[in-house]
Amino acid sequence: MRTIVYVDGFNLYYRMLKQRPELKWLNVKELASRVLRPENKIIAVKYYTARVSGRFDSLAPGRQQVYLDALASVPEVTLHMGTFLSSKRFAGLVHPPTFRPILPTQLAQPWPAVVRVHKTEEKGSDVNLASHLLLDAFKDSFDVAAVLSNDSDLVEPIRIATEELSKVVGLLSPVSNPNPQLQSVSKFVRHINVGHLTASQFPDSLKLQDGAVLLRPPTWVATTIT
């Protein structure tokens, strides 16, 4: 069965990889092959992400680029980039801190229970994924689609593909208890576990067709405590 896999990169990262840096060097095509059944012939893996900022970690963009280059070395994988929008906004405090100074009596208004924060939002990945899923469904580009995400924003496009277009769309879940709405519109659910991630790593040294060599970022190397 012709199968296309749609990977929500940031959903996968925050659900399974952020706390497991030794598993970030992940071959998503190999992962999908291990989670899906043998009859699923993976003809394409579409990976949705955005370029990270170096505001908090100056080395993060470089590590990400090495990883994107590794993904691009897999013939079935295509990269689809969204964007990050950053802004400074005021946000209310749930529990205003008790260490604020006592206000001078001449001030008529109390100190507002707000702080100004850097707000960073990733834009485009879910829209891109949904658009490509529906376009591929309309074009009959797949027999089976597998969506790796737990984002409830994808409920409606999956529902349209399964109910209106009669396509088989399933969920590759990065969490043990997937969103109930996503489950209800999906034709199947496969759970990703740490064993799948461990078995789907790129080699530490990855040689490209042009002779260049990509190395697993040092902070993504597992360490053994003796």
Side-chain angles (χ1 to χ4, degrees):
M1 294 183 291
R2 299 171 303 152
T3 302
I4 297 180
V5 180
Y6 303 81
V7 180
D8 181 342
F10 281 106
N11 203 273
L12 172 62
Y13 172 79
Y14 284 110
R15 297 292 186 174
M16 299 202 77
L17 300 176
K18 184 178 181 180
Q19 303 303 322
R20 301 180 179 97
E22 73 280 5
L23 298 179
K24 291 180 180 179
W25 195 230
L26 180 66
N27 183 335
V28 291
K29 194 266 182 173
E30 178 65 22
L31 174 67
S33 297
R34 290 180 178 275
V35 178
L36 291 168
R37 292 178 176 173
E39 57 265 31
N40 292 109
K41 180 183 179 183
I42 298 175
I43 60 174
V45 178
K46 301 187 178 185
Y47 185 86
Y48 301 85
T49 189
R51 294 196 178 277
V52 300
S53 167
R55 182 158 57 94
F56 296 112
D57 181 353
S58 62
L59 300 180
R63 290 195 300 269
Q64 184 192 40
Q65 186 58 58
V66 171
Y67 180 58
L68 295 178
D69 290 342
L71 287 179
S73 73
V74 182
E76 294 85 357
V77 175
T78 55
L79 306 176
H80 303 272
M81 308 301 292
T83 58
F84 274 111
L85 298 180
S86 296
S87 60
K88 295 179 181 179
R89 299 182 183 180
F90 285 100
L93 292 168
V94 177
H95 298 291
T98 57
F99 55 78
R100 285 183 165 171
I102 298 174
L103 294 175
T105 57
Q106 69 268 23
L107 292 181
Q109 299 296 324
W111 195 314
V114 297
V115 290
R116 198 177 187 198
V117 298
H118 282 283
K119 178 73 172 180
T120 303
E121 299 175 282
E122 192 275 324
K123 296 289 186 180
S125 289
D126 54 351
V127 174
N128 290 342
L129 193 160
S131 299
H132 292 166
L133 172 65
L134 291 175
L135 178 61
D136 290 340
F138 277 116
K139 293 169 63 177
D140 192 31
S141 297
F142 60 76
D143 301 313
V144 176
V147 177
L148 197 169
S149 184
N150 195 49
D151 188 343
S152 60
D153 288 343
L154 298 175
V155 169
E156 185 63 4
I158 293 176
R159 186 200 67 79
I160 292 173
T162 56
E163 296 182 9
E164 306 296 333
L165 302 176
S166 300
K167 302 298 290 186
V168 177
V169 181
L171 191 65
L172 304 185
S173 178
V175 295
S176 57
N177 295 304
N179 180 286
Q181 291 177 297
L182 280 175
Q183 288 192 83
S184 69
V185 297
S186 300
K187 293 296 185 181
F188 62 85
V189 177
R190 302 279 186 273
H191 292 275
I192 301 171
N193 60 46
V194 174
H196 293 134
L197 300 177
T198 302
S200 303
Q201 299 292 299
F202 285 113
D204 290 346
S205 176
L206 181 62
K207 187 172 183 179
L208 305 182
Q209 288 187 343
D210 63 2
V213 176
L214 300 177
L215 300 178
R216 179 196 291 261
T219 56
W220 295 2
V221 175
T223 58
T224 302
I225 300 176
T226 59

